[in-house]
Amino acid sequence: ALTMVMRQYQVVGRRLPKDGKDPKQLYRMKLFAPNEVVAKSRFWYFTSKLRKLKRANGQILAVNEMVERKPHQVKNFGITVRWDSRHGTHNMFKEYRDTSLNGAVEKMYQECASRYRCRFRSIQILATKRLAAKETTGQGLLGGPLKQFHQRKIAFPLTHRVQRPSSRRFRTTFKAVKPSTY
C-alpha cells in the first residue's frame, strides 16, 4: 500500500522589508506535509488566503520539523478538518488512537481518501488536540470497541515467548526437550 508519511512542520514567515523598515509582524503556522518543500508551499497557500501575503512579497524565515515527545506511548488525538468536495465544503471532527500525532494525521488522510474520496490538496487541518480517555466522544476510529482499551493499567498476555540462549556458546542446533512457548 502506498502511504504518505506525514510530518509536522512549523513555518515562520513575514513580508519583505520595504523602504529599509523591517516588518514587525511574523506569521507562524503549524502544518502537516510529507516534506519541507510541500510545507513551504502550503504556508504560502494559506497566507495568501488569510493575510494577502504571497511568495513574491514575502519570505520564509524558518522551517522546523516538530517531533513527538513520547513516540512509544499510545495516545488519543482529536482532529478538526475542513475539506472541499464536489458538493461543497464540509467540517468534521474525528478521533484517532496512535503513538504520534503524525500517525493520527496519516490515518485521517487515509480515511478521508477512502471514505470521502478527498484529495490531500482539498483537506485543511484546522486543529489537533491530544485527548484524555474521558474526553473521547466515540467519533471516528475510537468509537465502540476501542473504548475498552482506555483503562490506565491495561495489560496484555505475552504470547509465544521463545527462549533464547543467554550467550552464543549455549546455542545448539538440537534440543532434548521441546520448548514451551506459552
Side-chain angles (χ1 to χ4, degrees):
L2 293 172
T3 59
M4 194 175 354
V5 177
M6 299 306 275
R7 295 185 165 99
Q8 187 178 14
Y9 291 97
Q10 175 181 280
V11 183
V12 181
R14 67 174 183 176
R15 288 189 188 279
L16 281 175
K18 255 196 215 173
D19 304 326
K21 288 190 244 177
D22 277 342
K24 296 193 175 16
Q25 188 74 35
L26 293 178
Y27 301 105
R28 181 179 69 119
M29 202 173 288
K30 292 180 182 176
L31 301 160
F32 290 93
N35 55 43
E36 209 171 291
V37 175
V38 177
K40 289 179 185 178
S41 174
R42 299 295 284 172
F43 174 79
W44 291 123
Y45 172 78
F46 287 120
T47 52
S48 67
K49 297 276 186 195
L50 298 170
R51 297 283 180 249
K52 292 190 176 179
L53 175 66
K54 58 183 184 176
R55 176 74 184 92
N57 58 13
Q59 67 182 133
I60 291 178
L61 300 176
V63 179
N64 303 319
E65 184 177 349
M66 301 175 75
V67 294
E68 194 71 31
R69 196 169 283 159
K70 294 182 179 177
H72 301 296
Q73 180 183 0
V74 178
K75 297 169 275 292
N76 305 320
F77 295 101
I79 302 174
T80 306
V81 179
R82 178 173 65 206
W83 82 90
D84 296 319
S85 72
R86 299 181 191 109
H87 308 293
T89 305
H90 309 280
N91 295 314
M92 175 174 70
F93 175 78
K94 286 277 190 167
E95 296 174 355
Y96 297 93
R97 188 167 170 83
D98 205 293
T99 57
S100 68
L101 182 58
N102 295 344
V105 169
E106 282 180 37
K107 285 182 181 178
M108 185 272 305
Y109 274 111
Q110 291 296 321
E111 184 186 10
C112 287
S114 64
R115 192 171 292 198
Y116 307 110
R117 299 289 185 256
C118 296
R119 306 293 184 259
F120 171 76
R121 64 182 177 270
S122 66
I123 297 173
Q124 298 176 9
I125 298 175
L126 303 177
T128 58
K129 183 182 176 188
R130 184 172 167 194
L131 303 172
K134 61 184 175 189
E135 292 177 326
T136 57
T137 60
Q139 296 182 8
L141 296 178
L142 290 184
L146 286 181
K147 281 264 194 185
Q148 63 185 327
F149 297 118
H150 285 185
Q151 303 161 14
R152 285 190 61 75
K153 296 187 177 180
I154 191 166
F156 296 99
L158 299 172
T159 59
H160 194 71
R161 303 199 61 184
V162 178
Q163 294 287 331
R164 300 278 181 206
S166 59
S167 175
R168 187 176 174 87
R169 64 187 175 141
F170 297 124
R171 191 179 70 175
T172 62
T173 307
F174 303 105
K175 296 284 184 195
V177 180
K178 183 180 176 182
S180 174
T181 60
Y182 51 87

